[in-house]
PDB file of all heavy atoms in Angstrom:
ATOM      1  N   CYS A 109     200.142  80.401 -74.172  1.00  0.00           N
ATOM      2  CA  CYS A 109     201.416  79.886 -74.659  1.00  0.00           C
ATOM      3  C   CYS A 109     201.358  78.376 -74.854  1.00  0.00           C
ATOM      4  O   CYS A 109     201.162  77.630 -73.890  1.00  0.00           O
ATOM      5  CB  CYS A 109     202.504  80.247 -73.646  1.00  0.00           C
ATOM      6  SG  CYS A 109     204.132  79.599 -74.054  1.00  0.00           S
ATOM      7  N   ALA A 110     201.530  77.943 -76.102  1.00  0.00           N
ATOM      8  CA  ALA A 110     201.599  76.517 -76.410  1.00  0.00           C
ATOM      9  C   ALA A 110     203.027  76.073 -76.687  1.00  0.00           C
ATOM     10  O   ALA A 110     203.320  74.883 -76.685  1.00  0.00           O
ATOM     11  CB  ALA A 110     200.719  76.198 -77.620  1.00  0.00           C
ATOM     12  N   CYS A 111     203.917  77.016 -76.949  1.00  0.00           N
ATOM     13  CA  CYS A 111     205.295  76.699 -77.294  1.00  0.00           C
ATOM     14  C   CYS A 111     206.256  77.575 -76.507  1.00  0.00           C
ATOM     15  O   CYS A 111     206.787  77.158 -75.507  1.00  0.00           O
ATOM     16  CB  CYS A 111     205.392  76.795 -78.804  1.00  0.00           C
ATOM     17  SG  CYS A 111     206.668  77.580 -79.628  1.00  0.00           S
ATOM     18  N   ARG A 112     206.440  78.870 -76.903  1.00  0.00           N
ATOM     19  CA  ARG A 112     207.295  79.771 -76.125  1.00  0.00           C
ATOM     20  C   ARG A 112     206.877  81.224 -76.366  1.00  0.00           C
ATOM     21  O   ARG A 112     206.814  81.670 -77.507  1.00  0.00           O
ATOM     22  CB  ARG A 112     208.772  79.597 -76.482  1.00  0.00           C
ATOM     23  CG  ARG A 112     209.697  80.410 -75.572  1.00  0.00           C
ATOM     24  CD  ARG A 112     211.172  80.135 -75.832  1.00  0.00           C
ATOM     25  NE  ARG A 112     211.645  80.766 -77.063  1.00  0.00           N
ATOM     26  CZ  ARG A 112     211.943  80.116 -78.177  1.00  0.00           C
ATOM     27  NH1 ARG A 112     211.819  78.800 -78.227  1.00  0.00           N
ATOM     28  NH2 ARG A 112     212.367  80.753 -79.245  1.00  0.00           N
ATOM     29  N   ILE A 113     206.636  81.936 -75.282  1.00  0.00           N
ATOM     30  CA  ILE A 113     206.374  83.371 -75.335  1.00  0.00           C
ATOM     31  C   ILE A 113     207.285  84.041 -74.318  1.00  0.00           C
ATOM     32  O   ILE A 113     207.351  83.623 -73.158  1.00  0.00           O
ATOM     33  CB  ILE A 113     204.898  83.709 -75.018  1.00  0.00           C
ATOM     34  CG1 ILE A 113     203.970  83.125 -76.094  1.00  0.00           C
ATOM     35  CG2 ILE A 113     204.700  85.219 -74.907  1.00  0.00           C
ATOM     36  CD1 ILE A 113     202.493  83.352 -75.829  1.00  0.00           C
ATOM     37  N   THR A 114     207.990  85.085 -74.772  1.00  0.00           N
ATOM     38  CA  THR A 114     208.894  85.821 -73.900  1.00  0.00           C
ATOM     39  C   THR A 114     208.575  87.305 -73.987  1.00  0.00           C
ATOM     40  O   THR A 114     208.564  87.871 -75.081  1.00  0.00           O
ATOM     41  CB  THR A 114     210.366  85.597 -74.312  1.00  0.00           C
ATOM     42  OG1 THR A 114     210.643  84.191 -74.327  1.00  0.00           O
ATOM     43  CG2 THR A 114     211.310  86.288 -73.351  1.00  0.00           C
ATOM     44  N   LEU A 115     208.296  87.914 -72.848  1.00  0.00           N
ATOM     45  CA  LEU A 115     208.119  89.363 -72.755  1.00  0.00           C
ATOM     46  C   LEU A 115     209.290  89.921 -71.976  1.00  0.00           C
ATOM     47  O   LEU A 115     209.651  89.385 -70.917  1.00  0.00           O
ATOM     48  CB  LEU A 115     206.821  89.722 -72.032  1.00  0.00           C
ATOM     49  CG  LEU A 115     205.524  89.767 -72.849  1.00  0.00           C
ATOM     50  CD1 LEU A 115     205.144  88.394 -73.361  1.00  0.00           C
ATOM     51  CD2 LEU A 115     204.396  90.360 -72.029  1.00  0.00           C
ATOM     52  N   GLY A 116     209.874  91.011 -72.486  1.00  0.00           N
ATOM     53  CA  GLY A 116     210.982  91.655 -71.801  1.00  0.00           C
ATOM     54  C   GLY A 116     210.524  92.456 -70.600  1.00  0.00           C
ATOM     55  O   GLY A 116     209.416  92.286 -70.090  1.00  0.00           O
ATOM     56  N   ARG A 117     211.357  93.377 -70.184  1.00  0.00           N
ATOM     57  CA  ARG A 117     211.061  94.220 -69.025  1.00  0.00           C
ATOM     58  C   ARG A 117     210.193  95.408 -69.437  1.00  0.00           C
ATOM     59  O   ARG A 117     210.311  95.931 -70.533  1.00  0.00           O
ATOM     60  CB  ARG A 117     212.362  94.726 -68.398  1.00  0.00           C
ATOM     61  CG  ARG A 117     213.267  93.610 -67.910  1.00  0.00           C
ATOM     62  CD  ARG A 117     214.669  94.091 -67.554  1.00  0.00           C
ATOM     63  NE  ARG A 117     214.640  95.012 -66.429  1.00  0.00           N
ATOM     64  CZ  ARG A 117     215.045  96.282 -66.510  1.00  0.00           C
ATOM     65  NH1 ARG A 117     215.485  96.777 -67.642  1.00  0.00           N
ATOM     66  NH2 ARG A 117     214.998  97.041 -65.438  1.00  0.00           N
ATOM     67  N   ASN A 118     209.316  95.821 -68.520  1.00  0.00           N
ATOM     68  CA  ASN A 118     208.516  97.041 -68.682  1.00  0.00           C
ATOM     69  C   ASN A 118     207.660  97.046 -69.944  1.00  0.00           C
ATOM     70  O   ASN A 118     207.485  98.090 -70.578  1.00  0.00           O
ATOM     71  CB  ASN A 118     209.428  98.281 -68.656  1.00  0.00           C
ATOM     72  CG  ASN A 118     210.236  98.374 -67.383  1.00  0.00           C
ATOM     73  OD1 ASN A 118     209.702  98.213 -66.286  1.00  0.00           O
ATOM     74  ND2 ASN A 118     211.529  98.591 -67.517  1.00  0.00           N
ATOM     75  N   VAL A 119     207.130  95.912 -70.302  1.00  0.00           N
ATOM     76  CA  VAL A 119     206.198  95.839 -71.432  1.00  0.00           C
ATOM     77  C   VAL A 119     204.828  96.310 -70.950  1.00  0.00           C
ATOM     78  O   VAL A 119     204.347  95.865 -69.903  1.00  0.00           O
ATOM     79  CB  VAL A 119     206.116  94.402 -71.992  1.00  0.00           C
ATOM     80  CG1 VAL A 119     205.030  94.298 -73.059  1.00  0.00           C
ATOM     81  CG2 VAL A 119     207.469  93.978 -72.559  1.00  0.00           C
ATOM     82  N   ARG A 120     204.196  97.197 -71.727  1.00  0.00           N
ATOM     83  CA  ARG A 120     202.863  97.712 -71.381  1.00  0.00           C
ATOM     84  C   ARG A 120     201.849  97.123 -72.347  1.00  0.00           C
ATOM     85  O   ARG A 120     201.962  97.307 -73.556  1.00  0.00           O
ATOM     86  CB  ARG A 120     202.832  99.231 -71.490  1.00  0.00           C
ATOM     87  CG  ARG A 120     203.697  99.941 -70.501  1.00  0.00           C
ATOM     88  CD  ARG A 120     203.579 101.439 -70.686  1.00  0.00           C
ATOM     89  NE  ARG A 120     204.360 102.140 -69.680  1.00  0.00           N
ATOM     90  CZ  ARG A 120     204.266 103.439 -69.474  1.00  0.00           C
ATOM     91  NH1 ARG A 120     203.439 104.175 -70.196  1.00  0.00           N
ATOM     92  NH2 ARG A 120     204.997 104.016 -68.557  1.00  0.00           N
ATOM     93  N   CYS A 121     200.876  96.433 -71.793  1.00  0.00           N
ATOM     94  CA  CYS A 121     199.819  95.837 -72.609  1.00  0.00           C
ATOM     95  C   CYS A 121     198.524  96.579 -72.326  1.00  0.00           C
ATOM     96  O   CYS A 121     197.987  96.494 -71.227  1.00  0.00           O
ATOM     97  CB  CYS A 121     199.659  94.350 -72.281  1.00  0.00           C
ATOM     98  SG  CYS A 121     201.085  93.360 -72.751  1.00  0.00           S
ATOM     99  N   GLY A 122     198.027  97.313 -73.315  1.00  0.00           N
ATOM    100  CA  GLY A 122     196.797  98.072 -73.158  1.00  0.00           C
ATOM    101  C   GLY A 122     195.602  97.170 -72.945  1.00  0.00           C
ATOM    102  O   GLY A 122     195.687  95.938 -73.037  1.00  0.00           O
ATOM    103  N   ALA A 123     194.465  97.795 -72.683  1.00  0.00           N
ATOM    104  CA  ALA A 123     193.255  97.046 -72.353  1.00  0.00           C
ATOM    105  C   ALA A 123     192.904  96.040 -73.441  1.00  0.00           C
ATOM    106  O   ALA A 123     192.928  96.346 -74.626  1.00  0.00           O
ATOM    107  CB  ALA A 123     192.092  98.016 -72.147  1.00  0.00           C
TER     108      ALA A 123
END
Side-chain angles (χ1 to χ4, degrees):
C109 177
C111 135
R112 187 174 75 252
I113 295 177
T114 305
L115 275 66
R117 300 168 64 242
N118 302 313
V119 173
R120 294 181 177 191
C121 293

